[in-house]
Amino acid sequence: MNRRSILAAPALLALPARAQPWPSGPVRIVSPFTPGGASDLAARFVAQALQAATGVGAVVENRTGAGGNIGMEAVARAAPDGGSFVIAAAAAAINQTLYRNLPFDLLRDFAPVTVVIEVPNLLSVHPAVPARTAAEFVAWARAQRGGVTYGSAGIGTIPHLAMAMLCARAGIEATHIPFRGSAPAITELIAGRIQAVLENLPPQAPHMRAGTIRGLAISSAARHPDFPELPPLGAELGWPDFAPVAWQAVMAPAGTPEPIVARMAEIVGNALRVEENAARLRATGALPSGMPPAAFRAFLAREVEAWGRAVRESGATVQG
C-alpha cells in the first residue's frame, strides 16, 4: 500500500457534500516536509477529505526547511480566514525548545484543529547489517569500531532525538547524518550509505515489504495491528518507558473563527471514521486519530513540555 493508493480511496469521495459559508475558494494545506513522508500523506488525506465534503478545491503545498519551521511560519503569518492550514508534526513541539530564535510560538500563534494520524517510528537497517532484532542490532552496533551511522529527517526531529536517546542508553557510538526529510534518509539507507534509521513507519513500510530494508521494531508501546510481526522497541530492549511516537495534525493561524476550526475538525474526523479510509492508513503504518480541537489543545501543551525536557537533556540546540 502506498500513498497514492490511499489518496485514491473511493470512500473519501463518497463523503456527502454540505452547503457551508466556508470555504469560498481553494484552500491551501501546507506540508512543512518533503513529499513522500508522513506529513505529506496526512496533507493529501486532509485535502481529499475537504474537497469531498465541500466540493471546493484544496491544494497541498510542500514548504520545506528548518525542521518544518518554514512551512509553519508561512501559515502562522497567513490570514486567519480558513484559506490556509498546516500539517504540524510532533517536530513542531520539539522545535519550541530546540530553536533559539523561533519566529512563532506554537501555543500562541496557531489554532489547534485535529490530530490526523499518530505515527510509530520503525528501527530499520540496511540488509547488509546482520541484526534481525533490536537486541541483535544493539549488540552488533556496540561491537563496531568507529561506531555506526544513522540518518534522520533532520536535526532535532523525533527520529533524531529518539535514535540519539537509544544509542546513548544502549552505549552505542554513532554518527548522526541529518537529511531534509524522511524520504532522503530512507533512500540513503536503501543505498547502504547509512546503516540504520529510527524513522516514521509509513514511508518505510513499502521498502520493508520489498526487502530493500529490514525492519526490526516499532517505537510504540504495543504492536501495530497491521504489522504484528514488529515487536515494540522498548519491550524488546527491556525499556518499557521508551515509546517515542510521532503525530501529524491540522493547525490554523491563530484567530481563525471557531466555526471554521470546528468544521475542518468535523470533516477530517468523518473521513477517518470511514473504515475503508482508516484501513488504508493503518496499512501504511499510520494510526488514525481524529482528536477534536479542545483535546488537541491540551495534548499539544503536554507535548511541548515533554519534548522540551528531552531537548534540554540532549543538549541539542539550533540557532534558527
Side-chain angles (χ1 to χ4, degrees):
M1 185 66 62
N2 58 34
R3 177 169 55 81
R4 287 185 175 85
S5 64
I6 290 172
L7 301 181
L12 271 178
L13 301 180
L15 290 173
R18 288 173 51 182
Q20 296 287 333
W22 169 87
S24 59
V27 174
R28 178 178 64 151
I29 312 294
V30 173
S31 171
F33 296 97
T34 52
S39 176
D40 190 58
L41 183 153
R44 295 181 188 281
F45 183 90
V46 170
Q48 287 279 347
L50 181 62
Q51 187 163 339
T54 66
V56 173
V59 178
V60 173
E61 179 182 328
N62 292 95
R63 298 197 64 170
T64 65
N69 292 335
I70 291 176
M72 293 292 295
E73 182 181 8
V75 173
R77 296 179 181 278
D81 58 4
S84 296
F85 295 85
V86 65
I87 302 298
I94 293 172
N95 291 349
Q96 279 296 114
T97 304
L98 179 69
Y99 282 77
R100 290 183 177 178
N101 299 304
L102 202 62
F104 57 84
D105 184 282
L106 189 64
L107 301 177
R108 181 193 64 212
D109 297 331
F110 292 92
V113 179
T114 185
V115 177
V116 184
I117 52 176
E118 296 180 359
V119 186
N121 294 302
L122 170 66
L123 175 63
S124 60
V125 296
H126 185 267
V129 173
R132 295 189 173 273
T133 67
E136 288 180 1
F137 169 75
V138 168
W140 171 83
R142 285 172 175 162
Q144 301 309 297
R145 294 186 62 183
V148 299
T149 57
Y150 72 92
S152 78
I155 294 173
T157 60
I158 284 182
H160 167 216
L161 291 176
M163 190 66 162
M165 288 188 290
L166 186 156
C167 290
R169 194 163 177 173
I172 296 170
E173 182 182 349
T175 299
H176 172 227
I177 302 175
F179 296 93
R180 295 184 66 183
S182 297
I186 295 165
T187 297
E188 293 298 286
L189 179 65
I190 292 169
R193 287 186 282 268
I194 56 176
Q195 294 165 304
V197 298
L198 184 53
E199 268 289 348
N200 292 166
L201 174 56
Q204 293 198 76
H207 306 293
M208 180 179 68
R209 286 170 169 154
T212 53
I213 62 176
R214 182 183 304 128
L216 304 181
I218 56 172
S219 67
S220 54
R223 289 180 186 260
H224 190 290
D226 281 38
F227 296 84
E229 73 278 15
L230 295 170
L233 179 58
E236 175 81 3
L237 297 178
W239 307 340
D241 61 330
F242 189 79
V245 175
W247 43 265
Q248 304 289 336
V250 183
M251 301 186 78
T256 299
E258 189 278 333
I260 292 177
V261 170
R263 177 65 177 138
M264 176 62 99
E266 177 189 38
I267 288 168
V268 175
N270 286 344
L272 290 171
R273 282 188 288 273
V274 175
E275 178 52 32
E276 185 175 353
N277 297 338
R280 289 168 190 258
L281 287 171
R282 289 195 302 267
T284 71
L287 295 170
S289 176
M291 186 185 299
F296 179 26
R297 181 178 295 279
F299 169 78
L300 188 63
R302 293 193 300 270
E303 284 286 282
V304 169
E305 170 63 26
W307 282 110
R309 185 167 57 252
V311 170
R312 289 188 292 271
E313 289 173 354
S314 75
T317 186
V318 177
Q319 190 66 29

